[in-house]
Amino acid sequence: RPLEVNPGGIGKGFALDCAAAILKNGGVTDFAFHGGKSSILCNGSQAPEQDKKGWRIAVRHPEQSERILGSLNLYDQALGTSGPANRFFYFRGKRFGHIIDPRTGWPAEGILSVTVLHHSAGWADALATGLYVSGIDIAIEYCKQNQDTAMLAILPGKREGECEIVTCDMRPDQWVPATLD
């Protein structure tokens, strides 16, 4: 039987960190890598030198992939996202995500997704999963106590299809909500 390796979890972020180190050691200053839709590492800016906003990354609704909620500007940062948008199952008519809360043994609930911004892609991936499982209050407290970590969480809204966006410790120009048409 062939061996299969899944670099999910922090594996993708670690691989992005290693690739970035190779480029930086070679003198490359502007680049963006992604390890699937949930792990991104950006260095420098894709825009002219006077525009230091960085790389613009679209943020989609976790359950409605065609709906863009806004964008994040990454400059010398990585992004890791955790949530059950693409990996879930139904049990007795209820949808459950694939991320297990070790405190209960059941899939974590209450948040649609958590996106963490950090200078390390490996850390961003690990923190996104940990903060997703921990819940929004602990996630906010963690970001407030750790200045190298910013977060964007998407919570269920009051009505079907709606969502609430919570940010913590982002630069003022980093989160750009989508405009209503």
Side-chain angles (χ1 to χ4, degrees):
R1 204 162 218 201
L3 174 68
E4 292 184 24
V5 176
N6 179 345
I10 63 172
K12 294 185 296 181
F14 177 73
L16 294 178
D17 287 335
C18 291
I22 291 169
L23 288 184
K24 288 178 183 179
N25 287 339
V28 179
T29 58
D30 297 305
F31 57 86
F33 288 131
H34 75 87
K37 297 176 183 176
S38 63
S39 302
I40 300 171
L41 185 143
C42 298
N43 200 72
S45 180
Q46 68 185 29
E49 192 58 36
Q50 68 270 17
D51 180 10
K52 294 288 190 182
K53 290 183 180 174
W55 297 81
R56 181 165 278 193
I57 309 298
V59 175
R60 297 181 182 277
H61 190 291
E63 296 176 335
Q64 302 167 22
S65 62
E66 74 286 348
R67 184 173 160 204
I68 295 177
L69 299 175
S71 61
L72 288 166
N73 293 315
L74 297 184
Y75 187 84
D76 296 343
Q77 274 184 312
L79 164 160
T81 299
S82 286
N86 299 314
R87 297 175 69 191
F88 58 89
F89 62 95
Y90 287 94
F91 179 69
R92 295 186 179 162
K94 184 175 177 182
R95 181 180 167 167
F96 290 95
H98 69 292
I99 302 172
I100 305 300
D101 184 337
R103 298 168 297 191
T104 64
W106 283 89
E109 296 183 292
I111 300 177
L112 298 177
S113 72
V114 168
T115 297
V116 168
L117 281 58
H118 195 275
H119 63 86
S120 161
W123 273 102
D125 280 348
L127 287 169
T129 302
L131 297 180
Y132 174 84
V133 170
S134 296
I136 192 64
D137 293 334
I138 292 172
I140 290 170
E141 188 61 31
Y142 180 88
C143 289
K144 287 181 179 179
Q145 291 180 13
N146 294 275
Q147 298 301 312
D148 60 350
T149 305
M151 177 192 70
L152 181 140
I154 303 174
L155 309 174
K158 293 184 182 3
R159 289 186 263 185
E160 180 86 19
E162 288 184 350
C163 65
E164 176 187 351
I165 297 172
V166 175
T167 62
C168 188
D169 284 355
M170 288 202 188
R171 295 186 320 265
D173 66 337
Q174 197 153 30
W175 167 243
V176 182
T179 56
L180 299 174
D181 295 333

